[in-house]
Amino acid sequence: MKKIVVDNSGQFAAMVTAHIRQAAQKSDRDLHVGVPGGRGAVPVISGILQCELPILRRIHLYLVDERISGAKNMDTLLDVGLQKAIEEDLFRQSQIHIPEEGFPFMPHTGQLDLLYLGVGEDGHIASLFPGSYPELDARDCPDTVRVTASTKPPPERITISFRGLRTYAKRSQTFLMFFGEGKRIALERFLEGQESPATLPCMYFPREWFTVDVVTDMQEVLA
């Protein structure tokens, strides 16, 4: 596990561009990228949109969770650059995939190449909050599930499950983003490595031997 320190979340955008270009060089097939909603989407989408048009045409984005009510994560993706790219015919709406309850997370058999996840103050990723593991990693758990008691508003969401992460992201490169002072305690708990995904959901990745890197703008925490 690498620990990557940046001055701010915007600096990470250039790294995202490099990740996408590197993945594109390895294969001429479509690229499948898991993306967060909210503030975590800003550097990810910004970095993706810096790629050349032939690469952009090959990218499929998979939103890891969506809100059922209120401001939608999809709207956030559009607002931070995708809407403009669509209007300029650099990207297509059909390249964005939103999780739906009861349907496969990825419409076709395959794996994510890259997965970017923002980590919440309580260590949650996507809409997988403390207490959701191990139920949402059970063998009979579907790829996507409805959350009805989110610890942050709105209460109802559709999210990829832990089982979905195991199915579609096990061979991907995963980046956990801890940006901002509010994530300090979650990052410290994660680096201590003493908890399980039941209390700190982001611990799922090192515990299950995913290829995961940590990205943060809090240099002193990693000192």
Side-chain angles (χ1 to χ4, degrees):
M1 180 176 68
K2 290 193 299 185
K3 302 169 187 176
I4 303 168
V5 180
V6 295
D7 292 335
N8 51 63
S9 61
Q11 187 181 352
F12 185 54
M15 295 184 182
V16 172
T17 305
H19 300 158
I20 299 293
R21 287 173 175 162
Q22 185 177 30
Q25 289 175 352
K26 292 180 179 179
S27 171
D28 59 1
R29 61 173 175 75
D30 287 348
L31 302 176
H32 304 285
V33 183
V35 296
R39 289 173 294 175
V42 178
V44 177
I45 299 303
S46 177
I48 288 172
L49 292 178
Q50 292 303 309
C51 292
E52 298 74 17
L53 182 58
I55 296 178
L56 285 177
R57 293 294 197 203
R58 295 164 50 194
I59 295 173
H60 284 262
L61 301 180
Y62 298 84
L63 191 58
V64 296
D65 66 336
E66 182 56 291
R67 301 171 180 183
I68 294 177
S69 61
K72 299 291 193 292
N73 285 336
M74 176 63 175
D75 293 335
T76 300
L77 297 188
L78 295 173
D79 290 344
V80 299
L82 280 181
Q83 183 63 56
K84 182 179 179 182
I86 291 170
E87 292 172 356
E88 295 177 352
D89 198 28
L90 301 176
F91 208 81
R92 298 187 178 95
Q93 190 96 21
S94 60
Q95 293 172 254
I96 310 171
H97 306 275
I98 303 172
E100 297 183 67
E101 184 181 12
F103 288 86
F105 178 71
M106 294 180 69
H108 305 290
T109 301
Q111 284 273 314
L112 295 173
D113 297 287
L114 297 162
L115 173 60
Y116 298 93
L117 292 171
V119 180
E121 289 85 350
D122 58 359
H124 80 264
I125 37 92
S127 288
L128 297 171
F129 296 95
S132 59
Y133 179 90
E135 178 182 356
L136 297 186
D137 195 31
R139 290 185 179 275
D140 59 352
C141 182
D143 296 345
T144 54
V145 295
R146 179 184 291 256
V147 174
T148 59
S150 165
T151 57
K152 58 185 293 187
E156 289 195 306
R157 301 154 178 255
I158 302 297
T159 183
I160 188 172
S161 64
F162 288 107
R163 177 56 51 169
L165 289 170
R166 185 186 296 276
T167 300
Y168 297 105
K170 188 70 173 182
R171 296 197 297 272
S172 72
Q173 175 64 55
T174 298
F175 296 89
L176 296 179
M177 299 179 290
F178 295 82
F179 290 133
E181 185 62 29
K183 313 299 176 63
R184 177 182 296 273
I185 293 177
L187 177 56
E188 291 174 343
R189 291 168 62 192
F190 178 82
L191 294 175
E192 287 171 359
Q194 300 301 309
E195 297 183 59
S196 80
T199 57
L200 195 70
C202 57
M203 280 301 300
Y204 183 74
F205 299 97
R207 287 293 178 94
E208 295 297 329
W209 299 96
F210 281 64
T211 302
V212 61
D213 290 340
V214 171
V215 186
T216 184
D217 55 358
M218 293 177 283
Q219 184 170 0
E220 67 278 11
V221 178
L222 300 184

